[in-house]
């Protein structure tokens, strides 16, 4: 079975009012206050804030992220510009964003790719509703799960925390559910959960594509999975500064896109896997 969502999420154009102040952050660390006019896979067009010309064009390979006036953020894959240049194993199967993935017992939907599609990130077909931790709230402490980009690091940190404190994975249901899927599955970091919601909405929260979200959900159900909820928050493995709270995000275009709450709350969990 091989299915791919026809719409490529990153080929999206969004036009914002010239009065909006957006923040463009380059990979060099330079920050520029701009008004973004257009976003495509390869470049963006913008003007300096409070101006109407000249119009600048910048390659997405030079951009870390854009934070829009409403607080939404588009992050750009640092490998995007290298995809056509990087050689890959000729025997490797190539996947697109929106592809159905089923290999070596791992099954899911691809939401991110690198190395021209030879590698990427998969979300599980199914999900669960559970707590981040079942430890009594007043006894909760910080586990050290601070990574915002890669949930695999948080899983390793949590594993060591469990050993050091004579605890059990049963004390951390969200991470346990992901881990129990098999080697390589993990509870995603906050940026990964945010990215899932952004891709499902067509590549941008500012100009959401309901038809793209519908395609993702139809594919999930067709493959025997469950549709992503636009109403419920999904846990990440990233803790907040408050030791009693964990961070979460959602698959709706509504702001705010991320938040935090009690680790004892029951929220949705979707497992991630990198191939």
């Amino acid at each position: 079975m091989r299915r791919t969502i026809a719409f490529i999420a990153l080929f999206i154009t969004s036009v914002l009012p010239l009065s909006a102040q957006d923040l463009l952050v380059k990979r060099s660390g330079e920050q520029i206050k701009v008004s973004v006019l257009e976003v495509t896979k390869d470049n963006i067009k913008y003007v300096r804030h409070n101006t109407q010309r000249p119009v600048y064009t910048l390659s997405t390979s030079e951009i870390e992220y854009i934070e829009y006036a409403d607080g939404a953020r588009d992050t750009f894959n640092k490998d995007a510009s290298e995809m056509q240049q990087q050689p890959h194993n000729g025997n490797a199967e190539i996947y697109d964003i929106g592809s159905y993935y089923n290999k070596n017992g791992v099954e899911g939907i691809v939401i991110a790719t690198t190395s021209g599609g030879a590698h990427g990130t998969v979300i599980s077909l199914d999900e669960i509703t559970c707590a981040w931790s079942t430890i009594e709230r007043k006894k909760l402490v910080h586990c050290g799960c601070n990574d915002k980009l890669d949930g695999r690091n948080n899983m390793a940190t949590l594993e060591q925390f469990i050993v050091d404190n004579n605890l059990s994975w049963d004390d951390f249901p969200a991470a346990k559910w992901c881990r129990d899927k098999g080697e390589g599955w993990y509870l995603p970091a906050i940026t990964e959960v945010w990215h899932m919601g952004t891709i499902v909405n067509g590549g941008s929260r500012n100009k959401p594509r309901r038809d793209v979200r519908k395609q993702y959900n139809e594919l999930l159900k067709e493959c025997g999975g469950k549709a992503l909820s636009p109403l419920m928050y999904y846990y990440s493995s990233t803790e907040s500064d408050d030791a009693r709270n964990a961070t979460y995000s959602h698959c709706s275009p509504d702001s705010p896109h991320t938040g935090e709450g009690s680790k004892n709350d029951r929220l949705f969990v979707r497992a991630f896997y990198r191939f």
Side-chain angles (χ1 to χ4, degrees), residues 218-268:
E218 287 178 347
L219 180 56
L220 281 164
K221 289 186 288 186
E222 181 179 323
C223 296
K226 187 173 182 179
L228 290 156
S229 171
L231 304 175
M232 188 71 169
Y233 286 107
Y234 285 81
Y235 265 131
S236 85
S237 57
T238 310
E239 294 175 278
S240 68
D241 292 336
D242 185 335
R244 300 165 298 179
N245 293 345
T247 59
Y248 48 67
S249 188
H250 59 73
C251 294
S252 165
D254 299 332
S255 297
H257 304 310
T258 62
E260 63 177 67
S262 172
K263 293 175 179 176
N264 297 146
D265 290 342
R266 292 175 60 85
L267 301 180
F268 282 160

Side-chain angles (χ1 to χ4, degrees), residues 86-226:
Q86 290 181 341
H88 57 76
N89 187 337
N91 296 321
E93 190 168 0
I94 303 304
Y95 293 88
D96 297 318
I97 293 175
S99 297
Y100 168 68
Y101 184 94
N102 187 2
K103 190 173 182 179
N104 298 326
V106 175
E107 191 176 7
I109 305 298
V110 178
I111 62 163
T113 60
T114 60
S115 303
H119 302 285
T121 303
V122 170
I123 61 171
S124 62
L125 297 178
D126 59 344
E127 60 187 29
I128 191 175
T129 304
C130 66
W132 200 95
S133 177
T134 55
I135 296 174
E136 188 178 357
R137 181 168 174 78
K138 65 181 181 181
K139 295 181 180 179
L140 287 167
V141 298
H142 206 283
C143 303
C145 299
N146 301 316
D147 199 309
K148 296 182 178 181
L149 300 176
D150 191 340
R152 296 173 299 178
N153 294 331
N154 290 332
M155 294 289 282
T157 297
L158 185 58
E159 182 174 16
Q160 188 61 53
F161 180 84
I162 289 171
V163 172
D164 291 343
N165 292 275
N166 196 29
L167 296 172
S168 165
W169 281 102
D170 291 332
D171 296 313
F172 304 94
K176 180 180 186 298
W177 183 79
C178 298
R179 183 175 183 267
D180 285 349
K181 283 187 165 294
E183 184 177 357
W185 285 100
Y186 64 96
L187 181 63
I190 185 60
T191 300
E192 294 177 289
V193 185
W194 170 87
H195 175 78
M196 174 178 70
T198 299
I199 289 298
V200 168
N201 277 284
S204 173
R205 304 288 183 112
N206 294 288
K207 201 78 171 180
R209 291 287 302 271
R210 298 183 187 280
D211 58 324
V212 175
R213 187 163 66 237
K214 182 180 179 181
Q215 288 183 63
Y216 271 100
N217 284 334
E218 287 178 347
L219 180 56
L220 281 164
K221 289 186 288 186
E222 181 179 323
C223 296
K226 187 173 182 179

